Amino acid sequence: GFLTEEEGEIGDAGGGWMEYFGELVEQGRAAEFKAGEKAFWIAAERLHHMKAVHPDGALAPEIEIPERLRSAEVTRDQALVEVTRGRLEALGPVTAAVMAETLGVTEADMERALAMLEGEGFVFRGNFTPGEEGLEWCERRLLARIHKYTMSRLRREIEPVTAADFMRYLFSR
C-alpha cells in the first residue's frame, strides 16, 4: 500500500528502508506521492487508488499504473476503502481521527470508509487499548492474533508450580 514519508524515515534509522525504497523507485514499482502537505511512499499497484483519493496529488518520479489495473474505474469512496483496508492490515487498534490525519482526508470520510469495511466484516470497532478515550478500529484477523497473544501471556503468568515447589511450600507452613 503506502507508508508516510515520516514512517519511511523512522524505519530507515533501523534498517535501510530508504535503500529498499530507492530500488523500487528505480524499477518503476514505487514513487513518492505528494498530496498537499502529505507525502507518501506508494506502490504502483495502489497508485490508482491514491490518485482517486487525492486527484490533485503529484508523483516523483512519474510511474505507470500496472496494465491490469488501468481499466479498473474506482470512485473516491471505493479507493478510500481499499487504501484504508491496506493500512489496517499493518496497524493495530487505531482511531478514525488518526487514520484520517495520516491519509490527509476528513474524519467523516474515514468514518464512512471504516463503516463500509465493518459492513464487510473486515474490521471491528471498540475500545481495545486501555486508557484510549476514543472508539478504535482494528482489522479482525489482527485483533484475533492480539487476543491470542494476550491470552497466552496471561496463561503463562498463572501456570501451575511444579510438584516439588508445591511440596516445599506445604512443608514450610
Side-chain angles (χ1 to χ4, degrees):
F2 75 90
L3 287 175
T4 65
E5 189 175 51
E6 295 84 25
E7 291 167 339
E9 290 170 357
I10 290 169
D12 193 50
W17 286 18
M18 189 68 79
E19 180 182 328
Y20 296 132
F21 180 65
E23 287 180 33
L24 292 172
V25 169
E26 286 176 17
Q27 296 170 10
R29 296 177 52 204
E32 185 174 57
F33 185 82
K34 292 192 178 195
E37 298 293 315
K38 301 288 183 184
F40 307 98
W41 292 0
I42 184 83
E45 292 81 9
R46 287 287 186 206
L47 185 55
H48 67 297
H49 289 137
M50 197 61 96
K51 281 187 172 185
V53 172
H54 295 290
D56 58 338
L59 277 175
E62 283 291 327
I63 58 173
E64 293 293 321
I65 296 172
E67 183 68 38
R68 71 183 188 284
L69 301 173
R70 284 189 198 149
S71 63
E73 290 292 321
V74 292
T75 66
R76 183 174 188 278
D77 284 342
Q78 291 170 330
L80 189 55
V81 166
E82 291 310 312
V83 169
T84 303
R85 181 190 314 274
R87 187 75 174 161
L88 287 171
E89 288 176 334
L91 295 178
V94 64
T95 64
V98 169
M99 286 287 294
E101 170 63 27
T102 301
L103 196 51
V105 298
T106 66
E107 195 169 338
D109 284 344
M110 184 53 61
E111 286 175 356
R112 189 170 50 253
L114 289 165
M116 291 171 80
L117 288 170
E118 183 182 38
E120 294 176 11
F122 184 77
V123 297
F124 289 134
R125 71 170 102 183
N127 297 94
F128 307 117
T129 307
E132 177 64 45
E133 294 295 318
L135 188 63
E136 295 175 299
W137 298 81
C138 191
E139 193 264 335
R140 69 180 181 86
R141 286 188 213 111
L142 186 56
L143 187 61
R145 278 187 20 215
I146 292 168
H147 179 72
K148 178 183 170 191
Y149 294 148
T150 301
M151 293 305 294
S152 294
R153 182 182 51 83
L154 291 172
R155 286 186 180 119
R156 279 193 306 273
E157 290 176 3
I158 58 169
E159 285 181 350
V161 297
T162 64
D165 288 338
F166 182 60
M167 291 304 286
R168 271 194 299 278
Y169 169 77
L170 289 177
F171 288 122
S172 70
R173 296 278 156 193

